[in-house]
Amino acid sequence: MTEQCLTVSGLEKSYDGRSVLNGLDFEVNRGEIVALLGVNGAGKTTTLECVMGLRRPDAGSVRVDGTLAAQLQTGSLPDYLRGRELLELFSRWNGRPVDPALAARLGAEGFLERQYRTMSVGQKRRLQLMLALMREPALLLLDEPTAGLDIEGRIAVHQEILAKRDQGAAILLSTHDLTEAKDVCDRLILLRDGQIAFAGTPAEFADAAGRPASVCVRTPQGKECLPAADIAHALAELLQRLSGRNVPVLDVWVERGTLEEQFIELTKGA
């Protein structure tokens, strides 16, 4: 059985008469990572801010079961404090010790003696994640967690997020990176015009735009594909054709179009 950590019901929010959220209903369970997707202005950050309590929704409810922590797109940490001083400050606030192993895993040891104002965007993101994780939250909210990070930093952050999920945390993150959503998240929620246009797994998202799948193989002569209303039937037919021609098969895969293509299809006109 799954255990809900975050429940959002009928969430509505408007700015100056313009509706940004129009009756959102979704949940995040313990031990899963859910991504909020959508074009700019779709309501991703507003949703996170309503969950955090930074904005008061016009209607609806938000229920969080357990401790909440967040990493925002922009921080308001004191510019003159050093990274290690901020960790010590948050340690006292939360009554929890600083974990030096976390700094090592996130590759943060090299900049903790720098003042916050002198850190790069990627360094600030990693420090903000460390501060959020210090609370050992049941629910972790992340707004573009890997924006501005290099490849090494992205891998480190993803590994930490996955580890927290495996420890039972519920994680809701906003991202424009569809590769990140596919590789890290268990479920995707696509917002369009303040409503949920899609909710499901990355594999279901790949099929949501209604593009037909194709079974493809690679042979010494190149690539061959067959449209697949039924993947198993199409694969059997394609392999039979190749076997009849004595053509060896080097690789087999299913093509459904890229996530970027599906995203564009599902957000047309948004």
Side-chain angles (χ1 to χ4, degrees):
M1 293 180 62
T2 57
E3 183 180 355
Q4 293 178 0
C5 186
L6 169 66
T7 305
V8 175
S9 302
L11 195 64
E12 298 183 8
K13 182 64 180 177
S14 298
Y15 300 119
D16 299 323
R18 181 177 67 89
S19 178
V20 177
L21 302 178
N22 187 15
L24 295 190
D25 295 287
F26 68 90
E27 69 286 327
V28 182
N29 300 313
R30 297 183 187 276
E32 77 166 346
I33 304 173
V34 177
L36 285 177
L37 307 176
V39 299
N40 291 333
K44 303 185 298 298
T45 296
T46 297
T47 300
L48 292 179
E49 289 175 344
C50 287
V51 173
M52 282 184 274
L54 296 179
R55 293 191 185 276
R56 179 175 294 178
D58 299 328
S61 65
V62 174
R63 176 177 176 176
V64 177
D65 184 8
T67 306
L68 182 153
Q71 175 202 34
L72 303 176
Q73 279 195 52
T74 57
S76 56
L77 297 171
D79 285 339
Y80 58 87
L81 287 183
R82 302 180 187 277
R84 197 170 303 282
E85 292 171 333
L86 287 165
L87 287 173
E88 292 171 356
L89 179 62
F90 274 65
S91 173
R92 294 186 182 184
W93 280 345
N94 291 290
R96 300 182 184 276
V98 177
D99 181 7
L102 177 59
R105 291 195 301 270
L106 289 174
E109 295 169 310
F111 60 81
L112 290 182
E113 299 305 326
R114 298 180 60 176
Q115 289 183 321
Y116 185 73
R117 63 183 177 86
T118 67
M119 295 180 188
S120 68
V121 172
Q123 290 170 343
K124 289 179 178 179
R125 292 243 183 237
R126 280 179 280 180
L127 176 60
Q128 291 162 0
L129 180 58
M130 290 176 64
L131 297 175
L133 292 176
M134 188 173 290
R135 299 197 70 190
E136 298 183 5
L139 174 64
L140 179 63
L141 305 179
L142 305 171
D143 201 355
E144 301 288 348
T146 57
L149 291 179
D150 57 20
I151 294 177
E152 184 178 0
R154 286 169 55 86
I155 293 174
V157 168
H158 286 168
Q159 289 176 339
E160 200 63 35
I161 293 172
L162 289 168
K164 293 304 174 187
R165 178 201 64 183
D166 294 342
Q167 293 168 11
I171 301 170
L172 177 64
L173 66 87
S174 166
T175 183
H176 283 99
D177 188 337
L178 295 179
T179 300
E180 176 174 73
K182 175 178 70 71
D183 293 344
V184 177
C185 299
D186 302 296
R187 288 193 296 123
L188 313 179
I189 296 175
L190 177 67
L191 300 183
R192 174 177 171 172
D193 299 329
Q195 297 180 315
I196 295 178
F198 169 85
T201 66
E204 290 168 340
F205 183 80
D207 293 329
R211 299 188 177 211
S214 294
V215 173
C216 299
V217 300
R218 182 172 291 108
T219 72
Q221 287 76 43
K223 169 183 171 183
E224 292 193 33
C225 294
L226 186 66
D230 182 296
I231 292 175
H233 183 271
L235 176 59
E237 181 179 342
L238 186 55
L239 292 178
Q240 186 175 13
R241 290 183 190 178
L242 295 171
S243 177
R245 290 155 40 198
N246 293 319
V247 177
V249 175
L250 305 179
D251 196 7
V252 178
W253 69 95
V254 177
E255 288 188 353
R256 294 183 173 88
T258 66
L259 289 183
E260 287 79 7
E261 290 171 340
Q262 310 290 30
F263 180 88
I264 292 171
E265 186 73 21
L266 291 170
T267 57
K268 277 183 178 178

